[in-house]
């Protein structure tokens, strides 16, 4: 049986490609040992051998500023962010310091009474929302005192650990943002339910999708004769990279198997061995670590040979690259800052420019801001609606500086939360948007949550799609946090709205959708009629989730190449490449050690060769939503195909669990057919990720 043979070839982690026909470039690339010093013009620390992560000097062309060495020095990781502004809602009245303190003391007494008193007829959710209502006056009249009060209450009632209470509610981390939410949210309505659910899952159940009125949503009805344009027959190569998560504070020789937090750091240890590391970090990364410079540059060096592209006069160029977000490492918020975020943006985009051909179209991830996850809607009062504009201005300036987007698109990015609409020189329109506006980790989404488009990002997207339809353009939509799968990442109402947008403009306008965030390799599907009938006749669009460069957590490193037709802009093949992280510890670089090679990146699989036979798919047809739905039907007939998908989801990591029982297999198929929270939440839960203890 073909699928059994495929699985057998994957079991040994061999380098043999499944169906190795028509490779885009070489089948494997081995990076040279040592750091490619030509990647940067100068260094604070530049070793001859990879015994310590280099520290390049990063100049920011937008800020006209050179980032100092102590920002990324692994020996000087900050314990608290003291440099960034902390914004509170303006008080509704001017009270004296003693009046503010008296007010807060009274608030604490009221909240304590509500928490302590037992009412048999009152649910824990109602009690929590009543406590929020009692706390709201503090945010309105004495906002600067709220974070310390939240930390105190969190510790007193053991809502989290003491350290987590500080991390979640201190003013310099998320406390000021929580104060804003408390001031402006409807704490006894849907907003309050979300707030209580976020603070503790034992307080309120997660709210479900609300009905959406679509009668006035779109300026025009969907054309009855809407069809996908024919292919041109000309194919171009498009790169999809995601979730690089550069760790500029990575420390070679530090603990790579720490007990908690981000490993390969000087300030994280394994509790069983607080002295000498149990697993010393090598130069290229590990399963519990983010991407050191050596791994990120090895991946970028591998792109040209593996994809058959390069910068030489006689070499083919990438038509374009899509980057679906997350540049910054997974530090706790107390160690992050605006400067550290902008450093990662400047460094990574600079590396893209150095190594990749063609333009790069990037979307912002939830880690590409500070505090992480947070992007406030522009309709918040005064400066609060513009509190992340420093970041939108910065990335727009970098993208413009690198020549990837036009001045008009840069203006859009400054206005639309880092989102923009740009037409490539091949004629495809790419719409990038900031998915923090539907991410559960963004607590600003708990303000006016009854409005599925409180930020306005989707009305802007509709206007761009309508203009594209009127002009006969094809569109790719790119973002970071995926809209569906198991339903655990975004909020339900905005993804329901997005699903209606896809149903309106696919497949004749929207050709493809690209996400990141999970660090894994998978797809999800969108259907007509709100997914009430999910079969090949109703399949409209595919979302491709890009594999991450970072190995965090328990994954291999990877990226993907698409073969795209310039007529219909559909994908006709996809090649996924990976590097086996379990081999990196053969290169443990400690003082006086030497190494002959760096990491190997190799082709993992061709999508068409791996799944095409199972879907009975013609070689001339694109890998569209109909194709992928037929793959899921083949999975229902042959459980081995689900196991194969699970193996590929983790990029063949030796730490990925098997998916061999019927519950897992049923869930995986359901996830693939779920493009919204409403649909994904109907699936059996617990099988969405192949990682253990992963917190994106």
């Amino acid at each position: 049986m073909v699928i059994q043979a495929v699985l057998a070839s994957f079991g040994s982690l061999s380098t043999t490609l499944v169906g190795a026909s028509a490779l885009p470039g070489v089948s494997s690339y081995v990076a040279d040992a040592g750091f490619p010093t030509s990647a940067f013009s100068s260094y604070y620390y530049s070793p001859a051998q990879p015994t310590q992560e280099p520290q390049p000097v990063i100049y920011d062309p937008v800020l006209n500023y050179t980032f100092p060495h102590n920002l990324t020095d692994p020996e000087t990781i900050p314990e608290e962010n003291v440099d960034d502004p902390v914004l509170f809602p303006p008080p509704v009245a001017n009270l004296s310091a003693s009046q503010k303190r008296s007010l807060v003391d009274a608030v604490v007494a009221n909240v304590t009474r509500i928490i302590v008193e037992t009412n048999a007829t009152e649910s824990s959710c109602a009690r929590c929302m009543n406590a929020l209502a009692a706390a709201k006056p503090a945010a309105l009249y004495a906002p600067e005192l709220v974070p310390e009060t939240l930390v105190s209450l969190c510790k007193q009632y053991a809502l989290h650990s003491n350290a987590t209470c500080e991390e979640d509610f201190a003013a310099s981390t998320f406390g000021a943002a929580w104060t804003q939410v408390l001031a402006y949210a409807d704490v006894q309505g849907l907003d309050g339910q979300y707030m209580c659910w976020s603070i503790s899952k034992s307080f309120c159940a997660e709210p479900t999708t609300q009905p959406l009125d679509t009668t006035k949503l779109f300026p025009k009805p969907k054309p009855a004769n809407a069809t996908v344009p024919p292919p041109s027959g000309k194919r171009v190569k498009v790169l999809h990279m995601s979730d690089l998560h550069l760790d500029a504070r990575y420390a070679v020789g530090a603990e790579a198997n720490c007990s908690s937090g981000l490993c390969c750091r000087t300030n994280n240890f394994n509790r069983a061995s607080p002295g000498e590391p149990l697993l010393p970090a090598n130069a290229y990364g590990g399963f519990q670590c983010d991407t050191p410079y050596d791994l990120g540059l090895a991946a970028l060096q591998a792109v040209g040979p593996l994809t058959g592209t390069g910068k030489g006069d006689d070499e083919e160029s990438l038509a374009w690259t899509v980057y679906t977000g997350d540049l910054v490492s997974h530090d706790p918020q107390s160690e992050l800052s605006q400067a550290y975020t902008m450093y990662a943006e400047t460094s990574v985009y600079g590396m893209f420019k150095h190594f990749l051909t063609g333009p790069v179209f990037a979307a912002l991830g939830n880690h590409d801001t500070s505090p992480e996850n947070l992007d406030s809607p522009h309709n918040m009062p005064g400066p609060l609606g513009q509190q992340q504009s420093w970041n939108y201005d910065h990335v727009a300036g970098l993208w413009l500086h690198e020549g990837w987007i036009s001045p008009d698109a840069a203006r859009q990015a400054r206005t639309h939360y880092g989102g923009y609409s740009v037409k490539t020189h091949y004629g495809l329109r790419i719409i990038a948007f900031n998915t923090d506006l539907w991410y559960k980790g963004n607590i600003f989404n708990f303000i006016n949550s009854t409005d599925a488009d409180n930020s306005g990002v989707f009305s802007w997207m509709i206007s761009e799609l309508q203009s594209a339809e009127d002009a006969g353009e094809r569109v790719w939509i790119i973002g970071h946090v995926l809209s569906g799968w198991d339903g655990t990442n975004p909020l339900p109402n905005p993804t329901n709205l997005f699903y209606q947008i896809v149903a309106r403009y696919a497949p004749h306008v929207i050709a493809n959708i690209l996400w990141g965030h999970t660090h894994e390799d998978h797809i999800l599907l969108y259907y007509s009629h709100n997914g009430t009938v999910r079969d090949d006749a109703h399949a409209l669009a595919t979302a491709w989730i890009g594999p991450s460069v970072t190995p965090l957590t328990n994954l291999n490193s990877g990226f993907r190449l698409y073969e795209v037709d310039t007529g219909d802009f559909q994908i006709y093949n996809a090649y996924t490449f990976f590097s086996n992280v379990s081999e990196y510890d053969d290169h443990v670089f400690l003082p006086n050690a030497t190494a002959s090679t760096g990491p190997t990146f190799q082709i993992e699989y061709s999508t068409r060769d791996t799944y095409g036979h199972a879907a009975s798919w013609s070689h001339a047809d694109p890998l569209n939503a109909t194709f992928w739905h037929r793959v899921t039907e083949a999975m229902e007939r042959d459980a081995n195909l689900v196991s194969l998908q699970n193996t590929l989801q983790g990029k063949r990591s030796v730490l990925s669990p098997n998916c061999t029982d019927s519950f897992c297999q049923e869930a995986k198929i359901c996830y693939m057919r779920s493009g919204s929270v409403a649909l994904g939440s109907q699936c059996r839960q617990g099988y969405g990720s192949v990682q253990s203890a992963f917190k994106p």
Side-chain angles (χ1 to χ4, degrees):
M1 188 176 187
V2 173
I3 297 304
Q4 291 173 331
V6 166
L7 285 166
S9 73
F10 275 72
S12 62
L13 283 177
S14 69
T15 59
T16 302
L17 171 69
V18 180
S21 62
L23 295 180
V26 299
S27 61
S28 66
Y29 172 84
V30 182
D32 291 334
F35 189 83
T37 55
S38 62
F40 300 96
S41 59
S42 59
Y43 293 83
Y44 293 117
Y45 181 81
S46 179
Q49 290 288 337
T51 56
Q52 179 177 326
E53 182 175 41
Q55 290 288 317
V57 177
I58 303 298
Y59 169 75
D60 191 319
V62 175
L63 302 177
N64 190 24
Y65 174 76
T66 299
F67 295 99
H69 181 212
N70 65 1
L71 180 66
T72 55
D73 187 343
E75 302 297 333
T76 60
I77 298 174
E79 295 182 358
E80 183 181 7
N81 176 10
V82 296
D83 296 324
D84 292 348
V86 176
L87 299 180
F88 290 104
V92 298
N94 292 322
L95 302 181
S96 67
S98 61
Q99 287 174 319
K100 290 180 181 179
R101 177 53 62 187
S102 297
L103 173 72
V104 170
D105 289 344
V107 162
V108 170
N110 286 336
V111 170
T112 300
R113 175 183 53 78
I114 292 170
I115 293 174
V116 172
E117 288 184 358
T118 301
N119 185 336
T121 63
E122 190 175 55
S123 69
S124 59
C125 187
R127 188 179 306 144
C128 176
M129 290 193 290
N130 288 338
L132 292 178
K136 193 179 184 74
L140 295 174
Y141 290 93
E144 70 276 11
L145 299 182
V146 170
E148 65 184 53
T149 306
L150 291 175
V151 171
S152 177
L153 289 169
C154 178
K155 291 178 179 179
Q156 180 179 351
Y157 295 103
L159 299 179
H160 309 142
S161 69
N162 284 355
T164 304
C165 288
E166 293 282 354
E167 185 72 18
D168 287 349
F169 299 118
S172 60
T173 56
F174 300 102
W178 270 111
T179 306
Q180 295 176 42
V181 175
L182 183 59
Y184 299 118
D186 176 9
V187 296
Q188 292 193 295
L190 184 63
D191 297 351
Q193 293 178 44
Y194 273 118
M195 294 170 70
C196 290
W197 167 81
S198 178
I199 293 169
S200 175
K201 305 303 182 285
S202 65
F203 289 159
C204 290
E206 182 180 0
T208 57
T209 307
Q210 295 184 316
L212 176 67
D213 182 3
T214 61
T215 55
K216 298 180 180 179
L217 187 59
F218 303 110
K220 298 179 182 179
K222 188 172 186 175
N225 59 348
T227 58
V228 174
S232 68
K234 179 182 178 182
R235 306 284 169 78
V236 294
K237 297 176 179 179
V238 175
L239 181 68
H240 184 182
M241 299 193 87
S242 194
D243 294 86
L244 192 138
H245 287 289
L246 173 68
D247 187 359
R249 294 166 173 164
Y250 186 99
V252 176
E255 180 60 73
N257 186 30
C258 61
S259 298
S260 63
L262 183 63
C263 299
C264 300
R265 289 293 189 88
T266 57
N267 59 349
N268 280 338
F269 309 93
N270 190 306
R271 283 189 291 269
S273 179
E276 289 297 318
L278 292 177
L279 180 62
N282 62 72
Y284 298 116
F287 286 122
Q288 307 296 325
C289 311
D290 266 330
T291 304
Y293 268 114
D294 288 271
L295 174 58
L297 287 167
L300 290 169
Q301 287 176 298
V303 168
L306 290 174
T307 64
T309 61
K311 292 192 173 184
D313 292 338
D314 59 345
E315 293 182 288
E316 181 181 359
S317 174
L318 291 167
W320 64 87
T321 293
V322 169
Y323 184 75
T324 48
D326 271 7
L327 307 166
V328 184
S329 52
H330 289 81
D331 297 57
Q333 183 55 47
S334 56
E335 299 174 7
L336 296 172
S337 63
Q338 293 179 10
Y340 189 70
T341 300
M342 291 189 286
Y343 171 98
E345 292 167 346
T346 307
S347 182
V348 174
Y349 293 144
M351 289 190 287
F352 286 173
K353 183 69 173 182
H354 185 84
F355 286 99
L356 303 179
T357 57
V360 177
F361 302 112
L364 291 181
N366 62 295
H367 286 275
D368 300 334
T369 185
S370 184
E372 63 185 5
N373 308 330
L374 300 187
D375 283 280
S376 60
H378 290 328
N379 58 20
M380 289 185 69
L384 301 182
Q386 302 296 324
Q387 59 192 302
Q388 285 81 34
S389 290
W390 61 270
N391 198 29
Y392 312 143
D393 293 343
H394 187 246
V395 292
L398 289 175
W399 298 333
L400 180 63
H401 173 80
E402 302 298 1
W404 298 335
I405 65 174
S406 66
D408 181 63
R411 284 190 291 272
Q412 279 192 324
R414 293 184 179 99
T415 302
H416 296 292
Y417 312 93
Y420 56 89
S421 175
V422 61
K423 190 172 182 178
T424 72
H425 57 294
Y426 288 94
L428 174 71
R429 181 164 297 280
I430 292 178
I431 299 175
F433 79 106
N434 188 339
T435 57
D436 276 357
L437 282 312
W438 69 24
Y439 184 42
K440 290 177 181 177
N442 180 11
I443 60 175
F444 286 123
N445 290 330
F446 303 158
I447 300 174
N448 199 19
S449 58
T450 55
D451 184 350
D453 191 21
N454 184 48
S455 67
V457 69
F458 295 110
S459 60
W460 167 73
M461 181 186 294
I462 289 170
S463 68
E464 291 295 324
L465 287 167
Q466 187 59 58
S467 296
E469 181 180 81
D470 294 343
E473 296 173 345
R474 296 283 277 164
V475 170
W476 282 17
I477 295 176
I478 68 171
H480 180 66
V481 177
L482 64 172
S483 64
W485 189 247
D486 60 356
T488 57
N489 282 289
L491 296 177
N493 291 342
T495 64
N496 182 33
L497 171 56
F498 181 76
Y499 204 101
Q500 311 312 313
I501 293 172
V502 174
R504 165 61 181 84
Y505 292 101
H508 63 297
V509 177
I510 299 172
N512 282 289
I513 302 164
L514 286 80
W515 307 125
H517 186 64
T518 66
H519 298 190
E520 300 176 10
D521 174 2
H522 49 115
I523 64 97
L524 55 87
L525 294 168
Y526 305 82
Y527 300 83
S528 59
H529 306 302
N530 210 27
T532 51
V533 178
R534 283 173 271 182
D535 58 22
D536 60 355
H538 293 83
L540 295 177
T542 303
W544 301 73
I545 293 85
S548 65
V549 177
T550 184
L552 195 74
T553 300
N554 297 336
L555 299 168
N556 284 326
S557 178
F559 55 87
R560 186 185 291 132
L561 182 79
Y562 302 113
E563 287 184 358
V564 179
D565 185 274
T566 58
D568 58 15
F569 291 103
Q570 302 208 81
I571 292 168
Y572 282 78
N573 206 348
Y575 301 91
T576 303
F577 306 91
F578 83 111
S579 183
N580 188 353
V581 174
S582 58
E583 296 176 348
Y584 292 177
D585 287 327
D586 296 336
H587 307 290
V588 176
F589 297 124
L590 299 175
N592 303 318
T594 60
S596 58
T597 67
T600 297
F601 277 84
Q602 58 193 298
I603 189 144
E604 184 185 11
Y605 72 103
S606 152
T607 299
R608 181 177 291 277
D609 292 344
T610 301
Y611 293 115
H613 178 79
S616 301
W617 204 244
S618 165
H619 186 75
D621 292 330
L623 306 183
N624 57 15
T626 304
F627 163 80
W628 278 112
H629 181 84
R630 291 188 183 178
V631 170
T632 65
E633 290 181 329
M635 289 177 171
E636 290 176 321
R637 296 189 297 269
D638 187 349
N640 288 325
L641 194 58
V642 185
S643 297
L644 172 60
Q645 183 277 329
N646 184 77
T647 299
L648 299 178
Q649 188 175 333
K651 292 164 281 183
R652 294 170 61 175
S653 169
V654 296
L655 298 181
S656 293
N658 293 324
C659 181
T660 53
D661 66 77
S662 60
F663 289 156
C664 177
Q665 292 160 352
E666 172 192 324
K668 292 282 187 179
I669 297 169
C670 187
Y671 299 154
M672 293 175 71
R673 294 172 175 172
S674 299
S676 67
V677 172
L679 295 176
S681 60
Q682 296 173 14
C683 303
R684 185 182 298 275
Q685 295 297 296
Y687 299 97
S689 175
V690 298
Q691 305 167 53
S692 61
F694 174 48
K695 298 179 180 179

